[in-house]
């Protein structure tokens, strides 16, 4: 058995069964061993190493398991970084295996020699190690997986290519060696009873309780519902926690933040008590003003407690386990004005969104694309969203149902994550329908090359249904609106305008199905056709770039910048017309 054989075997013992990667001479030994291990370790060949890291991050997000990626030395290793930072910043476990030039060449300014130990030190800050002898490999792999799983972080093992082909040896029983084992027990999950009682006292005393849930509460749907009903609270969701609760619940206020809803803004501004569960929501300005509400927080990571809001009670624990223990200590609150106000706001908000979605645009209102999709989503589907304006519409207009999953690049907000996320979701759950929402900027950046990967593997999936919806507005739209509202400047066409591309024709070139939509009245039929297809689909939807992604609360600064940008806006007429219609729909929901 070579060192490389042992690497894949040991990773398999840890339960890692799929690796996303790309070959190269820096991992030649690992490439050969992976072929020998193909019955135990599935290999997904990507077109670019960055996509391998994104897929590993998405695998961790959708399955809860450790994601695994590998790349060759030099440029291959460098390419991993963006996807690995996505995992690091969203706190999901990923192990990266990377090659290096021969040990005898290190330090000689050799071809493709990069100081990988330094390069990965930040993204894999919890553990990055360069192996130098066969006896070291066992503890390198064991520690990389255990630390990634325990700390929900990125770890990295660097293996020089000459070491990969040496015979593997267990470390001798001698001074200066260590003997590690396989097995991850999981973190401590239950806060102390005294803390739970303090938390209950705070929550029981509250008259207007608000709850904010994030990705850490994804396995605690029933517990969150039970606590919300007992406290008669409203519940808002961070974007990565969108799938925690079904949006049909009348007291679920939807997303919070710039991409969030007005009911969530109102919930946070008017509450007297805040319970935050499994979230490190970054935008403090959308939370209650410090001192205006008493706070309780639950998180597996103690370093994230009281990070965004000064909490009165901080508890380290698993969301579901902690809430189950907390529930008997909570007093049942009677239905009252607070809950009625929340439910009324939510009902009005959905009418507002429908009104906005149905407003005409040139050629298609992007909100309607998502509104029509939401009505047709297959049961238990998995959705991925990209960064950009599509994230606004995914966050607001898609109604999550129980059993669905959805994710995107959260804290890093990297362009181009939706399609590699979709591939990872499809490999993890090949029987489920997967839907990727992506803008044309992200599609041109790397989505097109991921479609080649999809064309390579789709026939292996038990259910071939995978739909990639491209919002084609020939504009880097989110940044354009940021220029208008945050910088007070009109659209800079030299940087923001991007070329049109026949995404639907490209799908057909790859042996997939292509659908093009230019008429809003054809959207419903197009979604039906996409979900009925016998192979992956690209939907090329021509959308109006000048429909504003209105924030839930417009500040004086935002309004002032909007007025200021008028003097330099090249598409002013369209911007003003669409903005007026959106604002009117907010004032008079349900009426034209």
């Amino acid at each position: 058995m070579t060192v490389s054989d042992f690497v894949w075997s040991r990773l398999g013992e840890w339960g890692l069964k799929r690796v996303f990667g790309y070959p190269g001479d820096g991992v030649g030994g690992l490439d050969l061993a992976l072929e020998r291990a193909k019955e135990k370790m599935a290999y997904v060949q990507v077109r670019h190493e960055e996509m391998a890291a994104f897929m590993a991050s998405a695998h961790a997000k959708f399955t809860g398991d450790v994601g695994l990626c590998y790349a060759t030395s030099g440029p291959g290793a460098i390419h991993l970084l963006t996807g690995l930072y996505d995992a690091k910043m969203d706190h999901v476990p990923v192990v990266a295996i990377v090659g290096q030039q021969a040990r005898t060449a290190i330090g000689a300014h050799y071809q493709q020699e990069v100081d990988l130990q330094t390069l990965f030190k930040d993204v894999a800050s919890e553990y990055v190690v360069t192996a130098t002898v066969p006896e070291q490999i066992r503890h390198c792999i064991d520690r990389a997986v255990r630390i990634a799983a325990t700390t929900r972080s990125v770890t990295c093992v660097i293996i020089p290519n000459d070491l990969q082909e040496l015979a593997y040896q267990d470390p001798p029983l001698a001074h200066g060696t260590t003997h590690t084992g396989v097995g991850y027990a999981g973190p401590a999950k239950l806060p102390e009873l005294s803390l739970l009682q303090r938390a209950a006292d705070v929550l029981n005393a509250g008259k207007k309780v608000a709850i904010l849930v994030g990705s850490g509460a994804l396995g605690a749907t029933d517990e969150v519902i039970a606590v919300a009903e007992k406290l008669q609270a409203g519940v808002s969701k961070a974007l990565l926690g969108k799938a925690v609760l079904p949006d049909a619940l009348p007291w679920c206020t939807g997303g919070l933040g710039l991409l969030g809803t007005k009911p969530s803004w109102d919930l946070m501004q008017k509450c007297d008590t805040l319970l935050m569960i499994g979230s490190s929501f970054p935008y403090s300005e959308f939370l209650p003003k410090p001192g205006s509400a008493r706070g309780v927080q639950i998180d597996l990571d103690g370093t994230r407690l009281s990070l965004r809001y000064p909490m009165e009670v901080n508890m380290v624990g698993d969301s579901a386990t902690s809430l189950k223990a907390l529930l008997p200590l909570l007093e049942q609150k009677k239905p009252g004005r607070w809950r009625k106000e929340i439910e009324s706001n939510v009902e009005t908000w959905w009418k507002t969104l429908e009104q906005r979605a149905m407003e005409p645009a040139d050629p298609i209102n992007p909100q309607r694309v998502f509104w029509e999709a939401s009505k047709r989503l297959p049961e238990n589907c998995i959705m991925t969203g990209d960064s950009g304006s599509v994230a606004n519409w995914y966050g607001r207009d898609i109604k999550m149902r129980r059993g669905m999953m959805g994710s995107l690049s959260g804290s890093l907000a990297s362009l181009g994550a939706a399609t590699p996320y979709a591939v990872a979701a499809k490999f993890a759950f090949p029987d489920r329908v997967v839907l990727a929402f992506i803008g044309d900027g992200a599609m041109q950046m790397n989505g097109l090359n991921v479609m080649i990967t999809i064309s390579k593997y789709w026939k292996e999936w038990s259910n071939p249904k995978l739909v990639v919806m491209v919002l084609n507005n020939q504009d880097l739209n989110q940044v354009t609106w940021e220029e208008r509202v945050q910088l007070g400047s009109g659209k800079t066409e030299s940087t923001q305008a991007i070329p049109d591309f026949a995404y639907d024709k490209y799908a057909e070139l790859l042996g997939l199905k292509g659908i093009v939509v230019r008429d809003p009245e054809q959207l419903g039929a197009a979604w039906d056709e996409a979900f009925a297809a016998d192979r992956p689909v690209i939907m090329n939807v021509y959308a109006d770039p000048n429909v504003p992604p209105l924030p839930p609360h417009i500040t004086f600064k935002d309004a002032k910048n909007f007025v200021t940008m008028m003097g330099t806006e090249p598409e002013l007429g369209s911007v003003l017309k669409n903005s007026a219609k959106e604002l009117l729909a907010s004032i008079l929901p349900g009426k034209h």
Side-chain angles (χ1 to χ4, degrees):
M1 177 190 292
T2 67
V3 165
S4 296
D5 291 319
F6 178 81
V7 167
W8 300 124
S9 174
R10 193 67 166 184
L11 289 167
E13 289 182 56
W14 275 98
L16 279 63
K17 303 300 184 184
R18 180 175 298 108
V19 60
F20 304 94
Y22 200 76
D25 63 353
V27 285
L30 288 165
D31 291 339
L32 297 176
L34 190 54
E35 176 68 18
R36 295 191 290 269
K38 62 184 179 182
E39 297 301 320
K40 297 180 179 179
M41 179 64 71
Y43 168 51
V44 179
Q45 181 203 72
V46 299
R47 316 270 68 76
H48 188 287
E49 292 90 351
E50 182 180 315
M51 301 303 99
F54 271 130
M55 290 175 192
S57 176
H59 175 90
K61 289 181 178 181
F62 287 126
T63 67
D65 300 329
V66 176
L68 178 62
C69 60
Y70 89 112
T72 189
S73 56
I78 295 168
H79 286 161
L80 288 176
L81 288 176
T82 301
L84 294 181
Y85 270 106
D86 177 63
K88 174 186 173 73
M89 294 180 70
D90 282 345
H91 306 281
V92 294
V94 169
V95 173
I97 307 293
V98 297
Q100 178 59 291
Q101 292 306 301
R103 293 168 293 170
T104 52
I106 294 175
H109 198 92
Y110 202 74
Q111 183 190 33
Q112 290 195 339
E113 181 197 348
V114 173
D115 184 356
L116 298 180
Q117 189 77 32
T118 299
L119 182 72
F120 282 86
K121 187 56 184 172
D122 181 57
V123 74
S125 57
E126 296 293 336
Y127 187 71
V128 54
V129 63
T130 301
T132 56
V133 294
E135 294 87 347
Q136 190 183 1
I137 288 292
R138 177 169 138 189
H139 76 250
C140 289
I141 296 299
D142 287 351
R143 295 207 72 214
V145 180
R146 181 175 283 112
I147 290 170
T150 303
T151 62
R152 293 179 296 160
S153 65
V154 174
T155 59
C156 177
V157 180
I158 303 162
I159 309 176
N161 58 13
D162 60 330
L163 177 60
Q164 296 169 25
E165 298 186 72
L166 295 182
Y168 171 74
Q169 298 179 55
D170 271 329
L173 189 60
H175 184 70
T177 65
T178 186
H179 298 259
T180 55
V182 171
Y184 171 62
K189 294 185 175 183
L190 185 63
E192 294 180 1
L193 181 59
S194 60
L195 278 176
L196 288 166
Q197 186 60 60
R198 284 180 55 201
D201 291 343
V202 171
L203 296 169
N204 288 334
K207 292 181 170 55
K208 298 179 179 180
V209 180
I211 299 175
L212 173 61
V213 295
S215 60
L218 284 170
T221 298
D222 290 330
E223 291 77 12
V224 171
I225 291 174
V227 168
E229 291 288 18
K230 207 161 192 181
L231 296 174
Q232 290 294 290
V235 183
S236 178
K237 303 185 286 188
L239 193 55
L240 288 175
K242 184 173 174 63
V244 172
L245 290 180
D247 284 304
L249 292 169
W251 40 262
C252 176
T253 62
L256 183 67
L258 283 170
L259 279 60
T261 72
K262 189 175 186 304
S264 290
W265 167 264
D266 293 336
L267 178 74
M268 292 297 158
Q269 297 309 303
K270 297 179 180 179
C271 71
D272 62 18
T273 309
L274 172 63
L275 171 58
M276 189 181 294
I277 307 166
S279 175
S280 59
F281 179 78
Y283 306 115
S284 296
E285 68 270 27
F286 287 91
L287 296 175
K289 293 179 180 179
S292 67
R294 302 176 73 183
V296 175
Q297 187 174 0
I298 303 169
D299 203 289
L300 264 181
D301 185 352
T303 66
R304 292 193 283 167
L305 295 170
S306 278
L307 181 61
R308 312 299 183 193
Y309 189 84
M311 296 293 177
E312 188 172 334
V313 183
N314 298 279
M315 297 187 290
V316 175
D318 170 77
S319 296
T321 305
S322 300
L323 292 176
K324 283 179 182 176
L326 179 64
L327 197 59
L329 305 177
L330 299 177
E331 299 169 359
Q332 178 64 57
K333 296 183 187 295
K334 295 180 180 179
R337 186 177 302 174
W338 174 241
R339 178 64 85 83
K340 288 180 180 178
E341 179 182 344
I342 294 168
E343 294 183 356
S344 175
N345 288 344
V346 171
E347 182 180 9
T348 301
W349 175 253
W350 284 116
K351 292 177 181 177
T352 297
L353 285 185
E354 183 175 17
Q355 170 71 13
R356 290 181 181 178
M358 294 306 165
E359 291 291 350
D362 184 20
I364 295 175
N365 185 333
Q367 294 164 111
R368 184 167 179 179
V369 179
F370 290 77
W371 190 263
E372 297 289 353
S374 188
K375 296 186 290 187
R376 296 169 169 81
L377 293 174
E379 293 299 318
N380 298 318
C381 69
I382 303 174
M383 287 170 279
T384 70
D386 218 288
S387 297
S389 60
V390 293
N392 291 277
W393 316 130
Y394 161 75
R396 291 179 187 156
D397 290 88
I398 292 294
K399 287 187 176 181
M400 277 285 180
R401 303 198 300 273
R402 184 183 281 267
M404 293 178 175
M405 290 194 286
S407 195
L408 37 64
S409 177
S411 297
L412 187 63
S414 177
L415 207 61
T419 47
Y421 269 41
V423 170
K426 200 64 184 175
F427 273 106
F429 302 97
D431 58 325
R432 296 172 73 163
V433 178
V434 174
L435 170 57
F437 299 114
I438 187 168
D440 49 359
M443 193 67 174
Q444 291 181 19
M445 178 177 283
N446 54 33
L448 293 172
N449 80 26
V450 177
M451 296 309 303
I452 301 174
T453 302
I454 291 171
S455 72
K456 175 180 172 70
Y457 289 108
W458 72 269
K459 292 181 181 178
E460 298 179 10
W461 300 328
S462 55
N463 179 348
K465 297 184 187 300
L466 188 160
V467 180
V468 176
M469 190 286 295
V470 183
L471 204 62
N472 186 345
N473 53 29
Q474 290 127 70
D475 180 43
L476 298 177
N477 198 231
Q478 187 77 2
V479 175
T480 295
W481 278 104
E482 287 170 349
E483 288 182 351
R484 289 165 175 159
V485 178
Q486 295 180 13
L487 300 179
S489 176
K491 174 181 176 179
T492 54
E493 293 182 297
S494 61
T495 64
Q496 299 309 109
I498 61 174
D500 190 9
F501 185 82
Y503 305 101
D504 53 301
K505 298 298 183 184
Y506 180 68
E508 295 171 2
L509 183 67
L510 294 174
L512 310 177
K513 184 176 181 62
I515 299 173
V516 61
V517 190
R518 301 176 186 269
D519 181 348
E521 298 305 319
Q522 296 175 355
L523 274 171
W527 278 117
D528 292 337
E529 183 182 358
F531 288 133
D534 64 353
R535 64 194 61 209
V537 175
I538 296 180
M539 274 182 66
N540 181 14
V541 182
Y542 283 85
D544 191 332
N546 292 327
V547 174
L550 292 176
H553 173 71
I554 299 175
T555 66
F556 175 76
K557 181 181 178 182
D558 294 338
K560 181 180 177 182
N561 286 339
F562 187 81
V563 173
T564 303
M565 71 88 192
M566 293 181 186
T568 57
E569 174 54 55
E571 300 169 6
L572 183 60
S574 176
V575 169
L576 291 178
K577 181 175 69 174
N578 283 314
S579 298
K581 287 189 291 187
E582 293 291 297
L583 289 169
L584 186 61
S586 301
I587 298 169
L588 301 171
K591 297 181 180 180
H592 288 275

